[in-house]
Amino acid sequence: MNSNLCNRCGSCVGLSDGAIVFEDKTGKYVPVQKRKINDDLADKLWQSCSGKEFNFPVYSKKIFRETPGFHRYTGAFQKIYIGYCTDEAIRRNSASGGIISSVLIWLLENKWIDGAVVLKMSETEPWMNEPFIATSKEEILISAQSKYTISSVNEILPEILRFKGNLAYVGLPGQVQSIRKLQEINDPSVINIKYIFGPFYGNTLHFSSVISFLRSYKIRDYHQVARLYFRYGEWPGYMRAEMKDGKIIQLPKFHANYLIPFHILKNSLLCTDLSNEFTDISGGDAWAPIYEERGKGFSMVISRSKTGQEIIDNMKSEGLLTLNEIELDQAIEMHSHGYDLKKRGTFIRMRFRQWLGKDNPDYGYSITGFSFTRYLMEFFIGALFLLLGTAPARFIVEKIPPAFIGNIFEKVRTFWKKSTHNIKRNQLT
Ligand SMILES: Cc1cc2nc3c(=O)[nH]c(=O)nc-3n(C[C@H](O)[C@H](O)[C@H](O)COP(=O)(O)OP(=O)(O)OC[C@H]3O[C@@H](n4cnc5c(N)ncnc54)[C@H](O)[C@@H]3O)c2cc1C
């Protein structure tokens, strides 16, 4: 598999019984075939591969037959909300409004599920993330918060297969899409997954981002990390590393975003799914000054399936969620930069790749008709990412104090957002 198309969902590794493994997880993080596999298995691996192909219109019709709302940017939806969970401890512990964690806890406590597939930071290698099956509220809380380095949740498929009981599953769009493909072929490994949830998804970063973050503070050995957070503390939180010797380094999330152009997983730029369109419920940050200023963590929540809506209605009536419904246009407007990146930028980037003779994922649809200035803008961003992703650029940025570069990055980003506002929002809704 061309590593640019691989979204690292982990399904091929999970299904192949050791024939395919991820090598170099702190480096390129690529799946490598270690031994020969038979044709049947090879067929199944390709069928589960969401990096190569995932037909959005077909799966949307199949999964959301009864769902009334649809927009090609948001995917199918019952209702769209802004809000948070009312349990302050869960909310504080989570990435934004604590919706995903509280939904999982509610399902577990009401015995709709016996466990939840989630992602935590490893106990033995606290700088790496790892999927596991949480079977208690405490374990769900441990798994809360966003991890911005590459995750390959579906490596856990063999454990899901062995699990006795009903499961909820949380994953990024590529991971969810692969689970949907496996459900479509009735693969035993996903039969006990009953509910699917997931965060919105802008991008993920290579582990080199963590190495670089540490080096900027003159820490050379990432093995000395005792705990690593990407959204520590009050929303939007801090990227924070606690070292074994007691030293703590941290940077506000918006400043730590400077790492993105230097360490982005290139495949993120081929993903057209911002709001995790094939989940029962998905959640993102509520990006709007009114919520950002309050600083407590607000989520945008999209209920998609009938079951997703039922869960939300139950939790609302029990006073566990405070959610205000918003209109589709408001939702698109609030995430206009994200939708522009995914639903315009991706298709333009795929066009550039096609011109260069490179493979593209097949999503079964495409969006066209963008202005020349939008193409030009994408060309400029692409060239910048290419330049900043090089070893010399990464080397230089590590010599600059992160607080300084982070501050500059945020200012440039705000300026860029303002100056490209019209190009990006033009005809978006
Ligand atoms: C890589 C990444 C990129 C994101 N990009 C955006 C964005 O561009 N715009 C936006 O609005 N929101 C984005 N989000 C979502 C946002 O950060 C919050 O996760 C979301 O608002 C849900 O908040 P919550 O408080 O309900 O989640 P929580 O209650 O904190 O629960 C989060 C759940 O997500 C799981 N999880 C965390 N990280 C990963 C991961 N890497 N892979 C698989 N599962 C994971 C956890 O195990 C947990 O179950 C992103 C999240 C991630 C992980």
Side-chain angles (χ1 to χ4, degrees), residues 130-400:
E130 68 184 22
F132 77 115
I133 299 179
T135 54
S136 66
K137 176 177 176 180
E138 291 67 37
E139 287 184 332
I140 286 169
L141 291 177
I142 287 171
S143 74
Q145 294 220 353
S146 302
K147 289 93 187 167
Y148 291 125
T149 44
I150 300 172
S151 68
S152 44
V153 173
N154 297 354
E155 277 188 81
I156 203 179
L157 285 171
E159 221 176 294
I160 298 180
L161 177 67
R162 286 193 298 272
F163 188 81
K164 301 267 177 287
N166 291 338
L167 285 172
Y169 170 97
V170 182
L172 300 178
Q175 296 159 359
V176 167
Q177 289 160 17
S178 178
I179 296 294
R180 291 300 191 188
K181 292 183 87 174
L182 286 164
Q183 286 180 331
E184 180 60 21
I185 56 171
N186 292 320
D187 193 80
S189 65
V190 293
I191 276 171
N192 46 17
I193 295 180
K194 305 296 175 198
Y195 312 100
I196 300 187
F197 309 107
F200 285 19
Y201 175 62
N203 55 64
T204 36
L205 303 181
H206 281 281
F207 187 74
S208 55
S209 57
V210 175
I211 297 178
S212 178
F213 174 66
L214 296 172
R215 277 197 193 142
S216 304
Y217 289 93
K218 314 264 178 287
I219 298 168
R220 300 272 148 209
D221 181 9
Y222 64 79
H223 296 95
Q224 298 311 311
V225 169
R227 304 204 59 174
L228 180 66
Y229 304 87
F230 297 89
R231 300 280 295 256
Y232 181 86
E234 183 138 307
W235 190 93
Y238 290 81
M239 180 167 179
R240 170 179 166 115
E242 296 173 359
M243 308 306 293
K244 288 179 182 161
D245 65 4
K247 186 174 179 182
I248 293 174
I249 56 173
Q250 64 177 26
L251 197 62
K253 185 214 177 306
F254 288 135
H255 289 188
N257 279 347
Y258 85 85
L259 292 162
I260 294 173
F262 295 93
H263 303 280
I264 190 167
L265 170 69
K266 294 279 185 301
N267 179 267
S268 312
L269 298 169
L270 293 180
C271 166
T272 61
D273 186 348
L274 173 75
S275 49
N276 224 329
E277 296 173 33
F278 296 90
T279 49
D280 291 294
I281 302 171
S282 67
D285 289 280
W287 300 127
I290 166 181
Y291 302 113
E292 290 172 23
E293 277 160 18
R294 288 196 233 169
K296 274 188 148 184
F298 287 78
S299 292
M300 178 182 289
V301 183
I302 307 187
S303 61
R304 301 179 182 281
S305 63
K306 236 170 127 183
T307 323
Q309 189 60 48
E310 195 188 338
I311 294 168
I312 286 187
D313 290 342
N314 278 319
M315 290 183 70
K316 271 183 80 181
S317 68
E318 290 176 31
L320 300 173
L321 299 178
T322 299
L323 293 176
N324 295 316
E325 198 177 341
I326 58 166
E327 295 297 323
L328 173 68
D329 280 4
Q330 277 175 283
I332 294 177
E333 175 78 14
M334 186 176 285
H335 278 267
S336 56
H337 290 279
Y339 283 123
D340 176 77
L341 173 81
K342 296 285 183 183
K343 297 292 183 186
R344 293 175 165 182
T346 302
F347 287 109
I348 295 174
R349 289 186 286 274
M350 283 170 37
R351 188 73 44 86
F352 288 162
R353 286 174 62 84
Q354 193 186 348
W355 290 337
L356 293 169
K358 293 186 176 178
D359 288 342
N360 278 319
D362 178 2
Y363 293 131
Y365 80 119
S366 82
I367 302 178
T368 52
F370 312 120
S371 65
F372 176 71
T373 28
R374 186 62 189 81
Y375 271 88
L376 205 60
M377 195 178 104
E378 202 53 51
F379 179 77
F380 179 69
I381 303 172
L384 196 68
F385 272 40
L386 214 60
L387 180 74
L388 297 182
T390 58
R394 288 176 175 190
F395 176 80
I396 292 167
V397 79
E398 283 166 18
K399 308 289 163 222
I400 306 171

Side-chain angles (χ1 to χ4, degrees), residues 83-136:
Y84 51 88
C85 74
T86 52
D87 183 320
E88 270 305 309
I90 299 178
R91 186 179 180 192
R92 240 194 338 269
N93 182 64
S94 302
S96 54
I99 305 290
I100 297 181
S101 295
S102 61
V103 164
L104 297 177
I105 291 168
W106 185 85
L107 290 172
L108 201 59
E109 289 180 342
N110 287 282
K111 307 213 178 326
W112 287 34
I113 57 169
D114 305 287
V117 177
V118 284
L119 191 79
K120 66 175 175 181
M121 298 310 287
S122 159
E123 276 147 38
T124 50
E125 296 180 312
W127 49 90
M128 296 300 285
N129 62 53
E130 68 184 22
F132 77 115
I133 299 179
T135 54
S136 66

